[in-house]
Amino acid sequence: MNRIQPAWLRLPWQQAWAHAASRGMAAMTDASMAQLTAAASARIQTAIAPEVCKTLTAQGYAVVDNLFDPKHAELLRQEIVQLYQGSRMHKNHTHLVRDNTTRLLEKGSIHEAELTLNSNNAQQAAPLCARLNADTTLRTMLSLLTPGLTLDMQAIKLQYNAGEGGCFPIHADTDASLDGRRVTSIFYLNPGWQPSHGGQLKLYPWPLPPVEIAPLHNRLVLFTSHTQLHRVTPSFAPDGRCCFTIWLSQSRGRRVVRAAPASPLSSLQPATSPEQDPGAAVKFLMTPSVRLHAAKLALSGEWEESLRQSHKPGPELHAMLAQHRAEVALIGRALGKYSGVMQRLQQEPQLAQSAAASISWL
């Protein structure tokens, strides 16, 4: 038998939710939304424990389940769905830069809203999500518990994937030389998700095998923005796939300034051949400026398939695939003498584990 909790026994955030549920989101006052956000902030503070930060540092990602109160998570999802239904979102595009020209390749079924830019008055339409973006608890806890990390900026994007196979190709969110993004935090809001719905987040912590993470309701996934390759598999969720991403950044003034530009590839390579010193070859392949290129070579087939799945056929996709193949061929020539070591990394789990232990994810 279900029991209804008397109003006088409810906590303030529970009263706020009951008020919103009975009269709609428009009935929520600033005070009630502040109560919900304060409760979420407290839960984030508890959830981002030392073990989570240690895992993020050691393997480049971490997962936290049941982050929000379930009813708060329901309201957050409701805001995203209403943005989509109200045509306040825009289609996601891949930017293809070639010969000083940028082409936009639309991703089918994926709709987004940039709350930080407040396009289409999205902040007013999604006030609870906007308040979460204004709350600094997540970045404060990660900075406090992660040595060498000082996150001082954040930006949020809401996303609705309408299904029909909508997905993302393999990519890293940024390059360390482009901006200060260090941690990507994705909050999933998908009640009733089933494996047949697809839309899994797939991480590629090469040389380790890929890791597939289900977009379960009320789940938070953290991963490093500039070092963790990832993709989203095709989604067929009948009620849509909802999430929002908060990118956590470290401003340039707080980052370590390199004394000199990145060294050329030739100066990083060991003096000995891979056959003479496989350990030195593995160390070279795990160098930050080399590892992502080596991963693209090792994952070239799956990478190309992810590009095909994510974009409609046409001349833009053809150009993207040609560019991908040209890059893979160039990497293959540059790293050709390490092909034997790379094959061993694929075939020998113990060697791959040892190599991955040396990666500086953050």
Side-chain angles (χ1 to χ4, degrees), residues 49-58 139-151 182-183 224 250 254 256 360-362:
E51 294 78 11
V52 172
C53 297
K54 185 177 180 181
T55 299
L56 177 64
T57 301
R139 76 179 195 222
T140 298
M141 293 303 298
L142 288 170
S143 299
L144 180 66
L145 299 174
T146 309
L149 195 63
T150 307
L151 302 167
R182 287 296 176 270
V183 179
T224 52
Q250 190 163 291
R254 293 182 180 271
V256 176
S360 177
W361 290 104
L362 288 167

Side-chain angles (χ1 to χ4, degrees), residues 128-331:
L128 288 175
C129 290
R131 283 175 176 270
L132 278 179
N133 187 49
D135 184 84
T136 62
T137 306
L138 178 58
R139 76 179 195 222
T140 298
M141 293 303 298
L142 288 170
S143 299
L144 180 66
L145 299 174
T146 309
L149 195 63
T150 307
L151 302 167
D152 53 11
M153 296 185 295
Q154 61 192 57
I156 188 172
K157 177 186 286 186
L158 312 186
Q159 185 183 106
Y160 183 90
N161 187 329
E164 301 176 355
C167 59
F168 283 80
I170 299 175
H171 67 286
D173 278 351
T174 189
D175 184 293
S177 64
L178 296 179
D179 60 46
R181 282 182 286 177
R182 287 296 176 270
V183 179
T184 298
S185 55
I186 305 181
F187 302 76
Y188 291 107
L189 301 166
N190 300 300
W193 182 87
Q194 298 293 328
S196 60
H197 295 169
Q200 292 92 338
L201 174 67
K202 195 169 183 179
L203 305 178
Y204 297 86
W206 190 86
L208 297 177
V211 176
E212 202 164 82
I213 301 174
L216 297 181
H217 189 57
N218 211 1
R219 166 171 281 182
L220 166 64
V221 180
L222 303 164
F223 59 86
T224 52
S225 306
H226 57 303
T227 58
Q228 188 68 266
L229 292 170
H230 60 284
R231 69 164 302 195
V232 175
T233 64
S235 176
F236 302 95
D239 297 320
R241 177 187 184 273
C242 292
C243 67
F244 64 90
T245 300
I246 298 181
W247 283 286
L248 305 169
S249 302
Q250 190 163 291
S251 61
R252 292 182 182 274
R254 293 182 180 271
R255 281 188 278 165
V256 176
V257 178
R258 290 191 176 95
S263 302
L265 186 65
S266 58
S267 67
L268 296 173
Q269 296 191 60
T272 55
S273 70
E275 292 76 20
Q276 292 172 319
D277 192 347
V282 169
K283 183 179 179 180
F284 165 71
L285 291 172
M286 294 304 107
T287 303
S289 58
V290 178
R291 188 183 67 86
L292 292 181
H293 291 90
K296 187 165 192 173
L297 179 60
L299 300 166
S300 60
E302 186 169 352
W303 199 306
E304 178 167 330
E305 180 61 21
S306 75
L307 292 171
R308 291 182 183 277
Q309 290 179 331
S310 301
H311 305 94
K312 297 178 180 178
E316 290 82 8
L317 175 59
H318 181 77
M320 178 178 283
L321 293 174
Q323 181 172 313
H324 167 73
R325 291 166 189 157
E327 291 175 356
V328 169
L330 179 61
I331 296 169

